[in-house]
Amino acid sequence: MSAEDKTLTVLITGASGGIGGAIARLLAAQGHRLLLQGRNAERLQVLRASLPHSDSHLVLAADLLDAGLRRQLVERCAAIPGGVDVLINNAGVSTFALLADMSDAELARTLHTNLLVPMALTRDLLPLLQRSEHAAVINIGSAFGHIGHPGFAAYGASKSGLHGFTEALRRELSDSAVRVHYLAPRAVDTALNTAAVNDLNRTLGNKSDSPETVAQLCLQLLQGRASGRRFIGWPERLFIKVNALFPALVDSALAKKLPLIRQFAQQNIQASK
Ligand SMILES: NC(=O)c1ccc[n+]([C@@H]2O[C@H](COP(=O)([O-])OP(=O)(O)OC[C@H]3O[C@@H](n4cnc5c(N)ncnc54)[C@H](OP(=O)(O)O)[C@@H]3O)[C@@H](O)[C@H]2O)c1
């Protein structure tokens, strides 16, 4: 039986957000059973009620930065009859700011949420996932994890780290049935991006995708037979290759945009005060 035919139990972190909600709607429409994770219990309940077969889905609200609550989440997953087949590490935060304007607390929150939490949660859920013949982990990264972008130093570092983690884990588990995927969107139309980020993207001509586009690729990875790595968007996929081979080209292209990026980053800081 392939993952396409089987009803999978899927834990989605950040299901109360834009991309997590779109993934939940698509997977629920495919008949999968969802464990909807996020901090905002009310939003998760509204999402659950809107999904097909709403009674089969569970809301597991918790702040994942709290190690105790994370442990309780793993225990609740372990108690689910039939276990958990898939973990989608999607919860994330982003701050658009120059490094000089980021406090220790903001740096820690970004790296903790986007990198340490997916690592710890994956480690703690692996024994459970390994009982499933359809086991998979999908880490939601970002194009900024492959193209260092001014104004996103901490965010980019967290997503580069998430990619490195995914690659190493994929190889570490290559003799097991667990598939380990990495999905890196470019800009997506969600509340993660502040008005200043949207203004920056518009001004620089950066395209953005709908959360549903990301969800479709997530489903494709889930249905694939091997671990996969996907980058969303053209020309971003080309820029990622150019950046890997000729980083000086990307350095000079971004240097020309730096005054504008600085201006929007400062606008962002002012708006958040
Ligand atoms: N939007 C983009 O442009 C874009 C581009 C590339 C990659 N991504 C990645 O896509 C993923 C989803 O982002 P999104 O655009 O859907 O953002 P979003 O709408 O802001 O949603 C973020 C989600 O993460 C959850 N979350 C944040 N901190 C958490 C914590 N400590 N514990 C538990 N949940 C937490 C939020 O929960 P609550 O709302 O309940 O607090 C929310 O459900 C992120 O990893 C992001 O980096 C986004």
Side-chain angles (χ1 to χ4, degrees), residues 13-21 37-41 43-44 61-66 89-94 109 113-114 117 140-144 155 158-159 162 183-193 197-198 201 208-209 211 214:
T13 71
S16 43
I19 293 174
Q37 206 291 319
R39 285 173 300 195
N40 189 323
R43 226 179 306 148
L44 291 168
D63 184 339
L64 293 174
L65 294 181
D66 183 322
N89 282 311
N90 164 74
V93 292
S94 173
R109 184 181 75 109
T113 310
N114 296 357
V117 161
I140 306 297
S142 164
F144 284 175
Y155 181 73
S158 71
K159 295 297 185 176
L162 187 66
L183 176 57
R186 58 180 173 184
V188 184
D189 306 320
T190 73
L192 187 80
N193 297 321
V197 174
N198 291 329
N201 283 335
S208 65
D209 296 301
V214 183

Side-chain angles (χ1 to χ4, degrees), residues 113-177:
T113 310
N114 296 357
L115 179 57
L116 295 182
V117 161
M119 291 177 75
L121 198 56
T122 305
R123 178 200 59 203
D124 294 345
L125 277 172
L126 258 183
L128 194 58
L129 293 171
Q130 280 171 320
R131 291 186 209 151
S132 165
E133 57 180 305
H134 301 290
V137 176
I138 303 182
N139 291 329
I140 306 297
S142 164
F144 284 175
H146 274 68
I147 303 179
H149 197 286
F152 294 91
Y155 181 73
S158 71
K159 295 297 185 176
S160 286
L162 187 66
H163 176 262
F165 164 61
T166 311
E167 187 171 271
L169 188 70
R170 183 176 77 232
R171 293 169 182 168
E172 197 168 307
L173 297 176
S174 59
D175 59 353
S176 82

Side-chain angles (χ1 to χ4, degrees), residues 10 12 18-28 34 88 90 140 183 211-212 214-216 218-219:
V10 183
I12 307 171
I19 293 174
I23 294 173
R25 284 188 289 277
L26 186 61
L27 296 190
L34 306 179
I88 303 181
N90 164 74
I140 306 297
L183 176 57
E212 287 71 27
V214 183
Q216 277 295 344
C218 192
L219 178 65

